[in-house]
Amino acid sequence: MLFVCTATHKTKSMFFFLAQTEQGDVFKITLEVDEDSVTEIKLKYFDTAPVCSSFVVLKTGFLFLASEFGNHYLYQIAHLGEDDDEPEFSSAMPLDEGETFFFQPRPLKNLVLVDEMESLAPILHCNITDLANEDTPQLYTVCGRGPRSTLRVLRHGLEVSEMAVSDLPGSPNAVWTVRKSIHEEYDSYIIVSFVNATLVLSIGETVEEVTDSGFLGTTPTLSCSSIGNDALLQIYPDGIRHIRSDRRINEWKTPGKKYIVKCAVNQRQVVIALTGGELVYFEMDQTGQLNEYTERKDMNSEVICMALPECRQVNKELGSLLWG
């Protein structure tokens, strides 16, 4: 039996050692001392854990196992193994020639697995191919050593955590997330547009519908975004809603029987295309008011797409507008 790693746990009243063998069995070792001399060494089976290259006993009562081959593990020491029926072996016990001690490995009793940190080390072989027919190749790796060796499949992308689930009354045609202010770290609303309505969901500890956000809910939404420092903008077929931070709402309505077909928005500028190809331009001033320019542009044909570059500076003129 060879020990591959050890750890020491010491308090004001006692101390002991944990030692792991090359088979993964962990033993608790205590010393009987007389002044500065060790008079007896006692050894007792503690638990069995994956073989590691080193481990450490934390002051909070946890045991961390760092492995060279395979995953790393964090255990909580639930019991110190003092009140069980495991036999204790002592250096003071007389042994005849050829006689030895025996112990019986068992499932975990004194340790409780708390966390497992995945590790691919060592990767002995790797193959990149699309066996799952996902269009993006997967990485098939052979990892580890001995009975703990594994075949793992790696895919490109980040793991997604589901935070909330909300049933919708129908099939949406567009979804946006917006912040109330540019200084906020996270989005405040989820805006869901349907064929004939708009649903506003508040983002917090839960996701729930709200009716006091200022958004018009009886019409579909073409565009929804933050504008300026602390305002929201909703563009719908019959007009534009500028929702200020103090809950004031400035609304612009389309003239006559025309309606908005396309729009483009950045941080301080708005351009909309009406039926018939007429373009209307709005710009935010220093007071946060969204003003319409009196001059309009007639494209003599229907607009099917539009785009604006970013513009965060106040009084910065419109550099370019792309439409098609």
Side-chain angles (χ1 to χ4, degrees), residues 205-244:
E205 294 183 358
T206 59
V207 178
E208 55 187 7
E209 183 180 357
V210 293
T211 57
D212 59 348
S213 62
F215 290 95
L216 187 62
T218 57
T219 179
T221 298
L222 300 177
S223 176
C224 178
S225 62
S226 302
I227 189 168
N229 293 331
D230 53 4
L232 299 173
L233 188 75
Q234 179 189 17
I235 301 178
Y236 56 97
D238 294 328
I240 299 175
R241 272 205 164 196
H242 182 208
I243 307 168
R244 309 290 290 270

Side-chain angles (χ1 to χ4, degrees), residues 2-7 18-22 25-27 50-55 65-66:
L2 298 176
F3 289 126
V4 294
C5 59
T6 60
L18 292 180
Q20 187 180 44
T21 69
E22 57 185 343
D25 301 315
V26 179
F27 290 88
V51 181
C52 62
S53 56
S54 65
F55 59 30
L65 280 69

Side-chain angles (χ1 to χ4, degrees), residues 227-228 231-235 240-244 250-252 265-272 281-293:
I227 189 168
L232 299 173
L233 188 75
Q234 179 189 17
I235 301 178
I240 299 175
R241 272 205 164 196
H242 182 208
I243 307 168
R244 309 290 290 270
N250 299 327
E251 197 156 8
W252 180 90
V265 182
N266 62 21
Q267 291 77 15
R268 297 196 171 272
Q269 298 163 324
V270 179
V271 179
I272 59 173
Y281 172 62
F282 300 82
E283 186 172 308
M284 180 173 287
D285 59 22
Q286 292 182 350
T287 64
Q289 182 68 34
L290 195 62
N291 300 312
E292 177 190 355
Y293 270 49

Side-chain angles (χ1 to χ4, degrees), residues 29 86 124 137 175 177 184 191 200 214 222 233 245 253 288 292 307:
I29 302 174
E86 291 291 340
L124 303 179
V175 179
T177 57
E184 292 187 355
I191 314 299
V200 182
L222 300 177
L233 188 75
S245 59
K253 291 289 188 176
E292 177 190 355

Side-chain angles (χ1 to χ4, degrees), residues 16-83:
F16 62 85
F17 306 93
L18 292 180
Q20 187 180 44
T21 69
E22 57 185 343
Q23 302 298 328
D25 301 315
V26 179
F27 290 88
K28 178 183 175 182
I29 302 174
T30 56
L31 304 178
E32 296 291 335
V33 297
D34 182 10
E35 295 183 353
D36 294 335
S37 301
V38 176
T39 59
E40 186 179 4
I41 302 175
K42 295 182 179 180
L43 184 143
K44 191 175 185 180
Y45 173 68
F46 193 71
D47 259 328
T48 299
V51 181
C52 62
S53 56
S54 65
F55 59 30
V56 60
V57 179
L58 306 179
K59 292 182 179 180
T60 53
F62 291 90
L63 177 67
F64 178 73
L65 280 69
S67 178
E68 182 180 0
F69 304 95
N71 298 342
H72 313 296
Y73 298 90
L74 179 66
Y75 292 92
Q76 181 180 12
I77 302 178
H79 307 284
L80 294 179
E82 296 177 348
D83 300 326

